């Protein structure tokens, strides 16, 4: 994240194409929240969005399971893909419980997310803390240069200060930057993509854009595909105005696709109730 503006996140919101993406996301979210099913069965929509979002995040991490398999499965131990899906499900369940802590101590939340994701799969002393110099990272999808431990610590602290300070940036911009920065840093030895996408979810919920967590951006990221995800992320790491705008608009499109998914869920529930 490279900008020197006094309110850097707000400054990103004025990049070409970003205001239109912000407006489009807000309108899409408002439409699904206005669906008649949301007045009576919002909890069901939230639960289904959580399941589909978890599946999408796991798919980007290399465990591209059919939704019905995720729904049916009860044991997520064993093979690597099952553990990845289980980690995604645990993170989604945990996200809503960390909202009150996020604005005061985002680094504490990130540590907790990694602890939940790892679930005993990493050495105990490496879980829930940023990696140290010389420690490796298991994140096969992201091939960008890996920042050193000292840079990671500094940039995490900078990100934390931005979140705690708040500001006038739209939720989409803040969520995209949090997601992109965590992917770029890969601060933990494993599960960084899952943690980054869960942090994006927390920002969207906590900002008030998606308070019921029914607009799973993870669905949209997965639907656009791993190649598009990596290409957009390359724009973030480039740090140019055009690259940053491309990443933010990609995240915006992902939210809109998540909205479309939950709208379909609302329509299905409505037909079932008719």
């Amino acid at each position: 994240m490279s900008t020197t503006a006094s309110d850097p996140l707000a400054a990103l919101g004025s990049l070409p194409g970003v205001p239109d993406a912000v407006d489009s996301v807000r309108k899409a979210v408002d439409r699904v929240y206005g669906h008649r099913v949301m007045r009576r069965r919002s909890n069901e929509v939230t639960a289904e969005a959580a399941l589909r979002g978890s599946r999408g995040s796991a798919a980007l991490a290399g465990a591209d399971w059919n939704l019905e398999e995720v729904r049916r499965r009860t044991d997520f131990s064993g093979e690597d893909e099952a553990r990845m899906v289980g980690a995604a499900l645990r993170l989604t369940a945990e996200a809503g419980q960390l909202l009150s802590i996020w604005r005061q101590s985002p680094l504490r939340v990130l540590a907790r997310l990694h602890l939940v994701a790892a679930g005993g799969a990493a050495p105990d002393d490496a879980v829930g803390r940023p990696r140290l110099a010389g420690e490796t990272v298991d994140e096969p999808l992201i091939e960008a240069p890996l920042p050193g431990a000292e840079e990671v610590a500094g940039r995490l602290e900078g990100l934390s200060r931005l979140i705690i300070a708040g500001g006038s940036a739209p939720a989409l911009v803040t969520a995209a930057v949090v997601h992109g920065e965590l992917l770029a840093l890969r601060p933990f030895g494993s599960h960084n993509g899952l943690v980054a996408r869960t942090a994006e979810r927390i920002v969207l919920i906590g900002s008030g854009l998606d308070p019921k967590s029914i607009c799973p951006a993870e669905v949209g990221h997965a639907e656009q595909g791993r190649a598009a995800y990596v290409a957009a992320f390359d724009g973030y790491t480039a740090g140019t105005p055009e690259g940053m705008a491309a990443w933010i608009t990609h995240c915006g499109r992902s939210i809109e696709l998540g909205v479309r998914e939950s709208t379909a869920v609302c329509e299905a529930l409505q037909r079932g109730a008719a």
Side-chain angles (χ1 to χ4, degrees):
M1 182 174 51
S2 57
T3 176
T4 58
S6 58
D7 188 352
L9 297 184
L12 293 174
S14 64
L15 291 174
V18 172
D20 288 341
V22 169
D23 184 58
S24 182
V25 165
R26 167 52 69 187
K27 288 178 178 176
V29 172
D30 286 348
R31 282 195 298 272
V32 72
Y33 269 84
H35 198 287
R36 61 185 298 181
V37 165
M38 288 297 296
R39 293 196 294 269
R40 308 184 307 276
R41 305 178 70 177
S42 65
N43 288 344
E44 293 174 70
V45 182
T46 296
E48 191 64 22
L51 184 72
R52 295 176 186 226
S54 299
R55 193 217 72 82
S57 192
L60 285 172
D64 192 0
W65 284 19
N66 181 279
L67 180 63
E68 293 311 313
E69 174 64 12
V70 178
R71 196 190 307 278
R72 180 193 66 80
R73 190 78 167 256
T74 57
D75 180 9
F76 294 96
S77 61
E79 70 271 25
D80 289 346
E81 287 194 5
R83 290 199 300 269
M84 189 66 70
V85 174
L89 289 165
R90 291 193 301 273
L91 283 172
T92 301
E94 188 78 8
Q97 303 177 43
L98 298 172
L99 293 173
S100 62
I101 306 172
W102 175 254
R103 285 297 298 272
Q104 285 74 42
S105 184
L107 297 185
R108 181 180 163 197
V109 169
L110 293 175
R112 173 62 184 170
L113 292 177
H114 186 245
L115 183 67
V116 169
D124 289 346
D125 64 350
V127 173
R129 63 155 176 80
R131 54 188 167 82
L132 303 176
E135 291 183 336
T136 60
V137 172
D138 179 14
E139 199 67 47
L141 177 62
I142 304 301
E143 298 180 353
L146 190 66
E150 186 174 346
E151 181 181 351
V152 167
R155 286 171 64 175
L156 279 177
E157 185 59 37
L159 183 64
S160 177
R161 286 196 299 269
L162 283 175
I163 294 165
I164 292 170
S168 59
L172 167 61
V173 173
T174 303
V177 167
V178 167
H179 183 170
E181 191 71 352
L182 292 174
L183 274 187
L185 296 178
R186 280 147 290 162
F188 303 109
S190 63
H191 300 93
N192 289 287
L194 293 182
V195 168
R197 290 184 288 276
T198 305
E200 178 185 47
R201 172 183 285 266
I202 289 172
V203 172
L204 295 173
I205 300 169
S207 67
L209 178 66
D210 182 23
K212 294 183 182 294
S213 192
I214 62 167
C215 307
E218 305 97 321
V219 167
H221 288 304
E223 185 171 333
Q224 293 185 84
R226 297 177 81 187
Y229 184 73
V230 171
F233 172 65
D234 286 344
Y236 181 88
T237 58
T240 63
E242 297 80 8
M244 295 295 291
W247 170 249
I248 294 167
T249 55
H250 177 88
C251 291
R253 179 58 180 159
S254 295
I255 296 169
E256 290 187 60
L257 290 170
V259 167
R260 186 177 71 179
E261 188 89 351
S262 287
T263 301
V265 170
C266 287
E267 294 293 334
L269 289 172
Q270 183 169 285
R271 288 193 300 271

